[in-house]
Amino acid sequence: MSVDHAHWARYLQAAVDDRREVTGIGAQLGAEMSLDDAYLVQDALLAARLFHGESLAGAKLGLTSKAKQQQMGVDEPGYGWVSRSSVVPGPDAEVVISELIHPRVEPEFVFVMGDDLEGDDCTADDVLDRTALVVGGIEVIDSRFEAFKFTLPDVIADNTSAARVVVGTAGIAPRDVDLREVTCTFTVDGEVTGTATGEALLGSPAECVALLVRHLARSGRGLKAGWVVPAGAPLDARPFGVGTVATASYSHFGDVTVRGV
Ligand code: OOG
Ligand code: MG
């Protein structure tokens, strides 16, 4: 039996709209839902949002660091979409917790595209050529699945848990420094949760974005000038509730702070 992509997209959108956790799709379909199916559910979710007036502001990677892969028990990266309404201008921002289910926060390296970029042969160099700026960010993720537990197809269907992304303003031109050497320290409620460098992202943040571009090329799509592209968290995510203050401090992008309200 084939997977009903539109049905599962409605199932996930209802979880977002009603702010409630739902049972994993994998737990209901088992091996029947392939990764290709999961991306088709994600596409159906995106199509419905665009139909209802949402627009795209970018695309994202998830699960690109060992820290995140270990935390979530998944061993491959995934790709998703950044909708316009999910972008929160930084570097100091507030996010309304009651609009979400069980949010978490994580630091991000965010590429701001200067030009369109597409192609199944895209390299890290192409990414650096087409990027205007790399800035710091904090992503608020909010898996729609119970207890934030999922399989790789689940999290892909669920648009890689995307909910909000705070994008900083201080950044650097992509070739001004080796992005692998930029450090990021994450502090939540005064406690440093960890420090990592850009290298934590599959060895190279720009290579992550190239992977995303090659993935998009499979369906004839690409990145657009002006889009923001979070390359994935280099450190594990932390619970985010009312009153939580999280700051990501970068050696070259300044600080980005988000407070739960
Ligand atoms: C999946 C989203 C992962 C990242 O930066 O690794 C992600 C999740 O952990 O719920 O955005
Ligand atoms: Mg992320």
Side-chain angles (χ1 to χ4, degrees), residues 60-62 106 108 139 141 232-233:
K60 63 165 279 195
L61 291 111
E106 58 187 24
E108 293 278 346
E139 185 175 23
I141 52 173

Side-chain angles (χ1 to χ4, degrees), residues 9 22 33 65-66 69 74 89 92 94 112-113 131 135 168 179 198 214 221 234:
V22 292
M33 185 168 71
S65 66
K66 278 276 163 294
Q69 292 186 356
V74 168
D92 287 297
E94 292 183 340
V112 181
M113 303 312 298
T131 300
V135 300
L179 296 171
R214 298 199 296 266
R221 294 178 282 192

Side-chain angles (χ1 to χ4, degrees), residues 11 28 49 74 99-100 129 138 145 152 183 209 216 246 260-261:
Y11 176 79
Q28 299 174 66
R49 288 176 185 171
V74 168
E99 294 175 0
L100 302 169
D129 287 342
I138 295 181
F145 299 116
L152 182 60
T183 66
V209 178
L216 293 175
V261 294

Side-chain angles (χ1 to χ4, degrees), residues 205-222:
E207 179 54 37
C208 292
V209 178
L211 275 175
L212 165 65
V213 172
R214 298 199 296 266
H215 160 76
L216 293 175
R218 294 176 57 207
S219 53
R221 294 178 282 192

